[in-house]
Amino acid sequence: MLSRVRVWLNRTYAENVFFMDQLRRNPADRAVEIHATHGDPDSPVLAAADTADLEPEGLSPAAYVEYALDQCARRGIDVFVPRLHQAAIVAHRAEFAAAGTALLAPTPEAVAVFEDKATAYEAVRSVGVPVPPWHRVRTADELLAAVEELEAAGHRPCFKPAAGAGGVGFRMITRTPFSLAHLTGFPGPYVQLDLVVEALRRAEEPVDWLVMPRLEQPEVSVDCLTGRDNRVRLAVGRTKNGRRRGFTLDERWLAPARLIAEGFGLHHLSNIQFRMLGDRPVLLDVNTRPAGGLHQLSLCGVNAPWAAVQLALGEDPGVIEPPFLGQDYTVVSGPRPLAPAGLPRRRVESGVLLPAVPAPARAASAGEVLPL
């Protein structure tokens, strides 16, 4: 009888409660126990896990690695799926291996390339993957020059942090003067150019932004599973066009995704996103971690989280072809349970972990998929 597998997810997205569900419902019917840690006591992943801890706040990346090694040793972790401090953790892969823990994460070199979007665009362009025109800006004058060049080429400019995830900091630039029209309805992503320039001129420190054209839908996120031999085992595209979502195996999207995953050591699970610039797909972003929507591949008969754990354990699942492509769907919110109030929050003070007052319980929701 095969032994149980112990998997740890650290400070992951709430949507990964579905990742955890899929691990437990694996086709091998193998026992899986899940450990989760988070900084928020009301994260639904803590309630969904078999065991859970609140993470100490204020740790440096190096101190977090020590914390992680201790967790792996004390909890008997077989596979660690790191999100927080991924770069620092993968640099110590040998130490985790010595503790009996496999990292479900790419190489340090791959993480370094894709931590910075400008570096990533340069790298993938060098291997022939199309990227949008972009400008790295740090000052108001550089922003103005970039916006004028993009507008002259017929593009709608937008900007985002050179390093970041989840669309945080993304804004679209408009020259329409600020008026009451901008205060009706829900807040939008548009920001007035003159306000941005004024803010930059007043700022005490430079920003680090990419200014580029607003890319059009569809957005296609290609989920890849890649072995340490740099061969892709699974590549499926998830399409998004407004509310409607679906799946694709079109090589327009999959071929460049495979080129990136195999060429840059994106071992285990990665997510490579494309959008349209005119009539051609261009790279939008590369995530060196499992996507929050990875569980949606279950609509195609694929359990990608379990295949990734197998690969991390050295049990090669082989090339995985989805048996079918699921019908179009949309994403809605649904309730998930939370852990009982009372799990103490932990903090760091002078290198010592201290308890703090627990936060009150509250409701939570996570995205579920429904067919269209």
Side-chain angles (χ1 to χ4, degrees):
M1 182 175 179
L2 292 174
S3 62
R4 63 107 197 245
V5 180
R6 187 86 163 134
V7 180
W8 173 25
L9 288 82
N10 77 331
R11 208 171 294 208
T12 193
Y13 302 111
E15 201 171 15
N16 273 337
V17 293
F18 302 119
F19 186 105
M20 298 158 74
D21 290 344
Q22 284 191 279
L23 288 182
R24 294 190 178 104
R25 296 196 302 265
N26 66 80
D29 198 27
R30 190 163 174 184
V32 175
E33 291 187 10
I34 299 173
H35 181 56
T37 59
H38 210 284
D40 179 3
D42 290 333
S43 169
V45 301
L46 297 181
D50 297 292
T51 60
D53 279 333
L54 277 171
E55 294 186 355
E57 298 291 344
L59 295 182
S60 68
Y64 191 91
V65 169
E66 293 301 316
Y67 162 78
L69 285 165
D70 178 69
Q71 286 279 312
C72 290
R74 288 195 301 111
R75 297 287 185 176
I77 302 299
D78 299 300
V79 178
F80 178 20
V81 188
R83 190 196 69 82
L84 182 67
H85 294 311
Q86 187 189 64
I89 288 165
V90 297
H92 293 266
R93 188 182 300 272
E95 293 170 53
F96 284 94
T101 301
L103 296 182
L104 202 157
T107 64
E109 295 78 11
V111 174
V113 167
F114 295 108
E115 272 189 316
D116 181 279
K117 292 179 173 59
T119 303
Y121 281 175
E122 288 282 13
V124 300
R125 182 168 60 182
S126 71
V127 298
V129 176
V131 299
W134 54 272
H135 305 262
R136 191 166 201 160
V137 306
R138 294 181 172 86
T139 66
D141 289 340
E142 290 176 349
L143 173 70
L144 284 169
V147 167
E148 289 170 359
E149 182 174 327
L150 289 170
E151 288 179 336
H155 300 302
R156 294 184 296 162
C158 62
F159 65 87
K160 59 185 178 181
V168 175
F170 171 80
R171 297 293 186 276
M172 291 188 289
I173 293 173
T174 178
R175 291 182 182 267
T176 304
F178 185 80
S179 69
L180 286 177
H182 295 96
L183 301 178
T184 60
F186 293 102
Y190 285 94
V191 62
Q192 283 66 36
L193 178 60
D194 57 335
L195 297 181
V196 180
V197 169
E198 181 183 353
L200 284 175
R201 296 203 190 283
R202 291 199 315 264
E204 296 180 0
E205 297 180 359
V207 297
D208 189 7
W209 290 343
L210 291 191
V211 179
M212 54 190 288
R214 166 66 173 171
L215 302 175
E216 302 301 328
Q217 293 186 332
E219 180 177 313
V220 178
S221 294
V222 181
D223 294 308
C224 292
L225 175 62
T226 308
R228 287 190 289 271
D229 57 2
N230 292 328
R231 289 193 301 110
V232 169
R233 306 303 199 272
L234 169 71
V236 181
R238 291 183 286 113
T239 65
K240 181 166 65 175
N241 201 336
R243 185 185 293 273
R244 181 171 294 272
R245 303 185 181 206
F247 304 99
T248 181
L249 296 177
D250 191 325
E251 287 296 319
R252 287 194 308 161
W253 316 100
L254 269 56
R258 288 195 199 94
L259 185 61
I260 293 170
E262 294 179 343
F264 292 96
L266 284 174
H267 299 165
H268 303 295
L269 289 169
S270 60
N271 176 257
I272 303 169
Q273 301 171 353
F274 301 89
R275 273 192 173 230
M276 300 298 293
L277 180 64
D279 59 356
R280 65 172 183 152
V282 296
L283 181 71
L284 175 63
D285 205 357
V286 175
N287 296 308
T288 60
R289 52 166 175 76
L294 179 70
H295 65 279
Q296 293 161 13
L297 295 188
S298 64
L299 298 177
C300 300
V302 172
N303 188 327
W306 176 246
V309 166
Q310 284 184 289
L311 199 56
L313 293 172
E315 304 166 7
D316 195 334
V319 175
I320 301 170
E321 297 286 350
F324 53 85
L325 292 184
Q327 71 181 88
D328 287 358
Y329 64 100
T330 191
V331 176
V332 298
S333 295
R336 294 288 298 201
L338 292 179
L343 192 63
R345 187 186 299 275
R346 303 167 78 196
R347 56 195 171 92
V348 175
E349 188 171 295
S350 301
V352 179
L353 294 181
L354 298 174
V357 178
R362 56 179 183 267
S365 64
E368 298 179 305
V369 296
L370 290 177
L372 288 175

